[in-house]
Amino acid sequence: IGLSLVYPAVATMPRIEQRFADHPRPGTLDSLDWMRYGTIAGGTGELIRFDGDLEAIRWFQENVSGTPVIAEASIGPYRGDGSRFSIALGLPTVLGWDRHEQQQRYQPEIATRDRDVRELYDSSSIDRKRAIIDAYGIEFIIAGDVERKSTVPSNSAQLYASDEGIQALEAMVGSDLEIVFESNGTVVYRVVRDTGSD
C-alpha cells in the first residue's frame, strides 16, 4: 500500500506537464473541449489539428439521426485519436481500435476490415472504393487531418491516405458522394445511393 502511494506523488507533475501547450486551466466537463486547441505531430511532421473534427462532430449531432455507418481512419489506440467520430458519436464504424477489437473478435475479420479501411483512403481505384462502401453499408466518410497526415501503424514512412486516394474520393463527388460538411481541413462525404427502382 505504501509503494502504491508513491505513484501519485511522483507522477502528478509529469502528467500535468504533458498537457497541450495552449490548454486552458481545468474547468470544463466537455470531453471534446481539447479538440479546439490540441495538436499533435503527424507522420510527415505537419501538425494534426482537431478543430475541424470538433465542428464536424457538432454537425453530426445536430443533423444526423439514426445509426449510419461511418468510415474514418483506424490508426490504432492512443495514436492521434483514431476512431474519434465513432467514439464521440456512438456511431458504428468499419473498424475501431484494432487492438481492442482483437481482444474480442476473430482476427482474420479484423485484418480484412483494417485492409479495407486503408484502401478506402489510400486506393486510387474508384471501383474499389465503391466495393468497400457497399460491402460495409457506409453512409458517411470522414477525411480530416488524422486521415491525411497520420502514418500507417506498421510503417511510419507511409501516409495512411495517399494524395491519389483522397483525389479519388473527391472525383466521386457528384456521382457517388456529396460533401455535406467542410471546415478547417475536415471534410464529411455522404454516400449517394441510387434509390430508383428498375
Side-chain angles (χ1 to χ4, degrees):
I1 292 172
L3 288 176
S4 68
L5 296 175
V6 172
Y7 180 81
V10 175
T12 300
M13 284 312 296
R15 292 294 290 157
I16 288 173
E17 291 168 359
Q18 287 180 340
R19 297 172 86 84
F20 290 113
D22 296 329
H23 187 281
R25 288 192 313 261
T28 180
L29 294 177
D30 182 354
S31 63
L32 302 178
D33 187 61
W34 67 272
M35 297 177 96
R36 291 185 303 108
Y37 50 79
T39 61
I40 60 172
T44 60
E46 294 179 84
L47 284 181
I48 294 177
R49 296 173 42 174
F50 297 93
D51 52 344
D53 292 345
L54 177 60
E55 291 179 36
I57 287 168
R58 300 291 187 228
W59 178 85
F60 268 95
Q61 291 170 330
E62 295 170 6
N63 296 285
V64 177
S65 59
T67 54
V69 176
I70 62 172
E72 61 185 323
S74 176
I75 58 172
Y78 317 117
R79 295 186 74 245
D81 203 29
S83 304
R84 64 222 184 269
F85 281 82
S86 60
I87 290 169
L89 298 167
L91 294 177
T93 188
V94 178
L95 180 64
W97 290 356
D98 63 337
R99 298 268 164 77
H100 285 201
E101 295 290 338
Q102 289 172 14
Q103 296 170 1
Q104 304 169 29
R105 292 173 176 79
Y106 297 110
Q107 301 228 0
E109 183 180 340
I110 294 167
T112 299
R113 286 175 176 259
D114 186 44
R115 183 196 69 232
D116 288 347
V117 174
R118 275 283 330 287
E119 285 188 41
L120 180 64
Y121 288 100
D122 195 49
S123 174
S124 61
S125 169
I126 290 175
D127 288 337
R128 180 66 183 131
K129 290 181 186 307
R130 286 177 181 144
I132 294 166
I133 289 168
D134 290 342
Y136 296 103
I138 296 168
E139 295 184 49
F140 292 94
I141 300 170
I142 290 101
D145 278 4
V146 170
E147 286 75 21
R148 297 170 199 266
K149 298 177 182 178
S150 294
T151 55
V152 178
S154 61
N155 182 354
S156 62
Q158 183 180 2
L159 286 174
Y160 193 85
S162 65
D163 289 340
E164 296 80 12
I166 295 295
Q167 289 168 6
L169 283 174
E170 292 169 359
M172 296 170 73
V173 172
S175 56
D176 300 271
L177 303 174
E178 63 179 338
I179 295 174
V180 292
F181 181 85
E182 190 169 9
S183 177
N184 293 327
T186 300
V187 179
V188 178
Y189 301 95
R190 183 191 331 252
V191 175
V192 178
R193 289 192 163 82
D194 184 7
T195 56
S197 56
D198 293 42

